Amino acid sequence: MKTRKVDVIDDFHGPAGTVKVADPYRWLEDGEADEVRAWTDAQNARTRALIAEIPGRDELRARIEALLEIGFTSPPAVRAFGAGRRYFHQRRVGREIHPILYVRDGVDGEDRALLDPATLSADGATAVDWWYPSRDGALVAWGSSEGGTEESTLRIRDVATGADLDDRIAYTQHASVAWLPGGRAFYYTRHATPGTVPPGDEKYIARVYRHTLGDDPAHDVLVFGEGRDKLDMPSIDIAPGGRWLVARVHRGWERSEVYVRDLAVGDDAPWIAVVEGIDALFEPIALDDRMLVLTNDGAPRYKLVEVDYARPERAAWREILAERDDVLGDVAIARGSIVAAFLHEAATRLERFDTNGTSLGEIALPSIGSATVHAEPGQDEVFVGYTSYTTPYEVHRLDTTSPSPRLELWEKVGVGFAPPDVSVRVMHATSKDGTRVPMFVIERAGASTSAPRPAVLYGYGGFNLSMTPAFSARTLLFVERGGVWINAVLRGGGELGEGWHRGGMLEKKQNVFDDVVACAEELVTRGITSASRLAIMGGSNGGLLVAAAITQRPDLFRVGMSFVPLTDMLRYHRFRIGSLWIPEYGSADEPAQFPFLYAYSPYHRVVDGTRYPSVMLTTAEGDSRVDPMHARKMAARLQEAQAIAGCDSERPIVLRVESKAGHGAGKPTTQLIDEATEELAFLLRELEML
């Protein structure tokens, strides 16, 4: 499909002098322009027409629907309520289009629906973005947004009546909420009101306010953040007794700061810096008598330390859990014990400790999988969320008063689901610089290995996120049909600690692409697959991974599936919330950083006449994180190059743009089914599996 080009040349100033960079599809950046809308409609029509020709779509859709109907469940937030406890948790099963927030009185009580997003709009486009129960379990602060934008409005729901109070607070996207005891007031984060700051800055500037129920939010008192950098990302916590207010500020994905305020002194009490100006991550847990902090300061695989509120200086900190070979990913603080979740080559293991850090033994998980731990400080139960490649989401309860506590099933989805006979193993590849890169290989047990099989290589590699085993309809469907699914554990993620993360950011970002190429080459060398049967898939930063991999090694992949990607790394920071990612990627406005961004920026690395893999790029108009311009420009540039190579019909480049959707969060199940059907139909056809 031919797209109009413009003569746009930018001057960038690198260490060696001025570099002129062409941007022939600059006009596709303006998503509000009539010409861009018409172009997008034409691209969508072309994509739909191609997919309509693929046989077996109805069968494919039915299987996807069946797998997605298995659903999801989350560990509960537990609150003391009267003489008992209330348990708040989400669950989605069957044909429900969104997870429903349930509440139950007592650990074995009956669930009742408290908040069903399906009732909030006729088309299912309204999502519940987040929720925070009050300390007494009587109220829930929750945020909703439309069309996947994640631009939340805060509301308060009465648990007894199911009705919302009159309070409404706008601009609370990605909010953090900390309720005061008594449930009449809370602290929360809010973005700047448009018009009060320079245009675009309202996407960044977030501050902490105090709200009392019934008050006009316009009069809420600003309590933290005034004068701070607009890119700072604050969150708020409060000790259970309500005395100590704790603010954590993320500055990128490799550095954070911590401040405390003694509310016993009053709302005018000074903020005390516990951690400031240190190049490390600090995650505080506010307790009444002390604060625990999970940190990688001097411990790339993390440690847990204790901080005395009266002596918060680092010299007085006490180490509770020292750094180990495995990465300490999460802790739950219960009465008399600590349950820690460690990552061992990206899979979770659990271990229990006393409050001084003495091990009380490991806690067995059902199999190789992922687990999260949750507890309300001072209580005697820990909840463990668990999933694996073959296990749908389930929640287990751990009674810490037992002398030999073990996991007891509390909730699960997929009752009656019989997983296929699947084998999961860990393989390794050696990257360009000699780094050993793990990958999970998921395939049918006993499958013939006499010939290369179709395979999907999935990865992310960024922002300290850990890609750990999880139940996936895409994965299971692909494996059921005889394919091999590979989840690569790439640098840039947090699976192997902060050194692993920093080894794939800024000027070292190319390591991530070298890692995924090494994984692909290892799969081919071992005969698991071949370049003619290998697809690469990823979303967001993983979409960038796909775009970079196919432009650097087009010979190594047959298909590229790039979802909500970044592709123009010279201009990404000018759109949506892109400036937040400068600490991770760098900025082309900086002469020293321009060269490494330009070296891999996928949009700029497309070469006319090259035979690229078949590619599907997806995006959504409501994406408030990654601007759709990335997918639009990349599709136009690849289509141009593929046409010059004469293989645009044999290896199509297609673009799929959704209108009422965002970056991915909050999509109704009906939309997920449509999306997965079209994506997998394209993938399976290109790999000759349909």
Side-chain angles (χ1 to χ4, degrees), residues 385-416:
Y386 173 78
T387 183
S388 75
Y389 291 120
T390 57
T391 307
Y393 291 89
E394 55 190 36
V395 178
H396 297 261
R397 181 177 178 270
L398 191 73
D399 182 355
T400 58
T401 64
S402 170
S404 301
R406 60 182 181 179
L407 299 182
E408 298 175 353
L409 186 65
W410 187 75
E411 168 106 344
K412 68 179 294 184
V413 294
V415 176

Side-chain angles (χ1 to χ4, degrees), residues 250-491:
H250 267 297
R251 313 195 72 183
W253 278 260
E254 78 294 336
R255 179 178 171 185
S256 57
E257 298 179 343
V258 179
Y259 303 85
V260 298
R261 170 183 272 186
D262 186 355
L263 297 181
V265 177
D267 283 342
D268 294 330
W271 284 98
I272 300 169
V274 179
V275 179
E276 195 172 44
I278 299 172
D279 190 24
L281 287 170
F282 300 85
E283 303 290 341
I285 303 169
L287 305 177
D288 284 332
D289 57 345
R290 67 198 190 285
M291 180 168 60
L292 298 182
V293 180
L294 186 65
T295 179
N296 59 21
D297 180 28
R301 292 181 298 280
Y302 292 84
K303 62 185 178 182
L304 184 70
V305 299
E306 180 184 88
V307 179
D308 186 339
Y309 289 118
R311 296 186 59 204
E313 60 273 14
R314 291 172 71 212
W317 292 6
R318 184 169 76 96
E319 187 175 83
I320 302 297
L321 298 180
E323 182 184 28
R324 298 181 170 210
D325 291 337
D326 292 336
V327 177
L328 177 59
D330 196 10
V331 294
I333 312 301
R335 184 184 303 153
S337 65
I338 299 169
V339 176
F342 293 91
L343 285 179
H344 178 76
E345 288 200 323
T348 306
R349 70 171 185 85
L350 299 183
E351 189 170 353
R352 192 165 69 101
F353 300 86
D354 68 16
T355 55
N356 291 313
T358 300
S359 179
L360 300 176
E362 295 221 7
I363 299 166
L365 288 170
S367 65
I368 294 176
S370 303
T372 57
V373 291
H374 308 261
E376 183 71 7
Q379 295 184 358
D380 51 13
E381 56 187 357
V382 173
F383 287 89
V384 177
Y386 173 78
T387 183
S388 75
Y389 291 120
T390 57
T391 307
Y393 291 89
E394 55 190 36
V395 178
H396 297 261
R397 181 177 178 270
L398 191 73
D399 182 355
T400 58
T401 64
S402 170
S404 301
R406 60 182 181 179
L407 299 182
E408 298 175 353
L409 186 65
W410 187 75
E411 168 106 344
K412 68 179 294 184
V413 294
V415 176
F417 169 70
D421 193 6
V422 170
S423 164
V424 179
R425 57 191 168 116
V426 178
M427 282 176 36
H428 294 85
T430 302
S431 196
K432 186 176 181 179
D433 63 356
T435 298
R436 193 167 179 254
V437 181
M439 48 183 163
F440 291 99
V441 179
I442 306 100
E443 58 194 335
R444 286 194 302 196
S448 172
T449 58
S450 60
R453 290 163 288 164
V456 169
L457 178 57
Y458 186 92
Y460 187 81
F463 293 93
N464 203 26
L465 292 179
S466 296
M467 303 300 290
T468 59
F471 189 79
S472 163
R474 277 194 182 95
T475 300
L476 277 186
L477 186 145
F478 190 78
V479 170
E480 283 176 349
R481 289 180 171 245
V484 184
W485 190 282
I486 303 95
N487 277 355
V489 181
L490 309 172
R491 277 177 285 186

Side-chain angles (χ1 to χ4, degrees), residues 25 28-30 39 540 543-544 547 562-578 581 585 601-604 617-620 623 625-638 655 657 663:
Y25 297 109
L28 287 174
E29 292 180 351
D30 185 2
W39 179 89
S540 192
L544 165 64
S562 181
F563 306 143
V564 289
L566 293 94
T567 63
D568 183 345
M569 298 307 293
L570 302 187
R571 290 174 58 79
Y572 79 90
H573 59 295
R574 301 174 183 270
F575 298 86
R576 301 291 203 264
I577 59 171
W581 310 327
Y585 294 131
S601 179
Y603 172 65
H604 301 95
L617 296 132
T618 71
T619 187
D623 194 332
R625 303 191 197 188
V626 178
D627 196 287
M629 72 91 176
H630 289 278
R632 290 194 295 258
K633 290 172 69 173
M634 190 67 180
R637 185 69 188 94
L638 280 171
L655 175 66
V657 183
H663 197 62

Side-chain angles (χ1 to χ4, degrees), residues 77-300:
V78 185
R79 297 291 185 266
F81 180 73
R85 293 174 185 173
R86 270 185 170 165
Y87 298 77
F88 298 84
H89 68 112
Q90 286 183 298
R91 183 176 70 244
R92 180 188 63 77
V93 295
R95 296 181 180 271
E96 294 167 349
I97 63 172
H98 286 291
I100 297 171
L101 177 61
Y102 291 94
V103 60
R104 69 169 70 172
D105 292 332
V107 68
D108 298 318
E110 293 292 324
D111 281 342
R112 58 185 175 92
L114 179 63
L115 184 52
D116 183 356
T119 65
L120 302 178
S121 61
D123 60 1
T126 301
V128 172
D129 300 322
W130 44 262
W131 48 275
Y132 294 88
S134 61
R135 290 284 179 187
D136 60 5
L139 300 170
V140 174
W142 62 283
S144 66
S145 61
E146 307 297 323
T149 62
E150 301 177 270
E151 295 178 351
S152 311
T153 296
L154 184 153
R155 294 174 170 82
I156 307 296
R157 180 148 296 193
D158 186 306
V159 176
T161 66
D164 287 330
L165 308 186
D166 292 335
D167 302 70
R168 299 284 189 279
I169 306 177
Y171 314 117
T172 50
Q173 50 266 45
H174 312 295
S176 172
V177 177
W179 284 89
L180 281 160
R184 299 302 305 167
F186 56 83
Y187 295 91
Y188 69 101
T189 57
R190 186 178 81 205
H191 285 250
T193 303
T196 64
V197 295
D201 279 3
E202 68 274 1
K203 300 287 186 183
Y204 302 109
I205 297 173
R207 304 288 185 254
V208 179
Y209 295 82
R210 187 183 191 276
H211 179 73
T212 298
L213 297 182
D215 284 359
D216 183 347
H219 300 146
D220 286 352
V221 176
L222 173 65
V223 299
F224 182 85
E226 182 68 25
R228 293 192 67 92
D229 190 286
K230 70 178 186 179
L231 301 183
D232 285 357
M233 296 178 284
S235 62
I236 199 75
D237 191 15
I238 194 167
R243 176 176 177 180
W244 298 100
L245 188 63
V246 179
R248 182 203 65 194
V249 183
H250 267 297
R251 313 195 72 183
W253 278 260
E254 78 294 336
R255 179 178 171 185
S256 57
E257 298 179 343
V258 179
Y259 303 85
V260 298
R261 170 183 272 186
D262 186 355
L263 297 181
V265 177
D267 283 342
D268 294 330
W271 284 98
I272 300 169
V274 179
V275 179
E276 195 172 44
I278 299 172
D279 190 24
L281 287 170
F282 300 85
E283 303 290 341
I285 303 169
L287 305 177
D288 284 332
D289 57 345
R290 67 198 190 285
M291 180 168 60
L292 298 182
V293 180
L294 186 65
T295 179
N296 59 21
D297 180 28

